[in-house]
Amino acid sequence: MQRFNTLLKHPELNALNTRTQETQAAQKIWEAIVPDYLAKFSRASSIKNKQLNIYADNSVVAAKIKLLTPSLLIQLQKQVCEVTAIRVKVQVKSSPQPKLKTPRKLTPAAVSSLKELSEKLAGTALGDALNKLYKSAD
């Protein structure tokens, strides 16, 4: 346990801890004033030089926040926060590319079975659908 306490006394970790607490405080303030539909797609970064820095997930959210800036600043002043500006940056979250589905092919036995069944049910809606499926499988 002593080694862990010694580790916490390093100045780098103290600076990181301070930064994390500042970000959490800014996020708490941001969540209190912003509408829920925007809070889902934005995050507060910090409050520096009386400026609240916000990251939006896309440009639509950023534009909406910029439109609401005057009313948000009024709400901040009511909470006794010394913020005179809100700076919005777009920070797109990366997402993995969706996997493309590989087209599946029918086996020759399945194609012949479809052909036989479509011939048996010829003249019905199901028979016509099976006929189309059989022809596209070739």
Side-chain angles (χ1 to χ4, degrees):
M1 191 65 165
Q2 282 183 326
R3 295 174 75 191
F4 185 71
N5 289 336
T6 306
L7 184 65
L8 291 177
K9 293 179 182 176
H10 285 317
E12 297 88 9
L13 287 178
N14 284 337
L16 182 62
N17 187 28
T18 303
R19 173 78 174 116
T20 302
Q21 289 175 350
E22 289 172 359
T23 302
Q24 287 175 343
Q27 182 65 30
K28 197 177 269 189
I29 291 168
W30 177 245
E31 288 174 350
I33 64 164
V34 73
D36 290 337
Y37 64 92
L38 291 176
K40 294 177 188 175
F41 304 105
S42 61
R43 294 160 306 290
S45 167
S46 62
I47 299 175
K48 290 183 182 176
N49 301 326
K50 297 184 179 184
Q51 181 178 31
L52 177 62
N53 295 309
I54 303 296
Y55 289 110
D57 289 349
N58 56 51
S59 60
V60 175
V61 174
K64 185 64 176 178
I65 292 171
K66 288 178 184 179
L67 287 173
L68 293 175
T69 297
S71 63
L72 293 173
L73 286 172
I74 291 170
Q75 290 180 24
L76 284 169
Q77 290 171 356
K78 287 180 183 177
Q79 289 192 357
V80 193
C81 290
E82 294 185 26
V83 175
T84 58
I86 296 176
R87 183 176 182 192
V88 182
K89 298 177 184 178
V90 177
Q91 186 178 43
V92 179
K93 289 184 177 180
S94 63
S95 59
Q97 295 290 332
K99 293 182 180 178
L100 299 176
K101 293 183 179 178
T102 56
R104 296 183 181 178
K105 293 190 177 187
L106 295 175
T107 63
V111 171
S112 66
S113 295
L114 275 177
K115 181 180 179 184
E116 289 175 24
L117 190 57
S118 68
E119 289 172 357
K120 285 181 184 177
L121 297 173
T124 64
L126 180 58
D128 294 340
L130 288 172
N131 193 28
K132 286 181 185 178
L133 184 60
Y134 154 71
K135 288 180 179 178
S136 68
D138 279 339

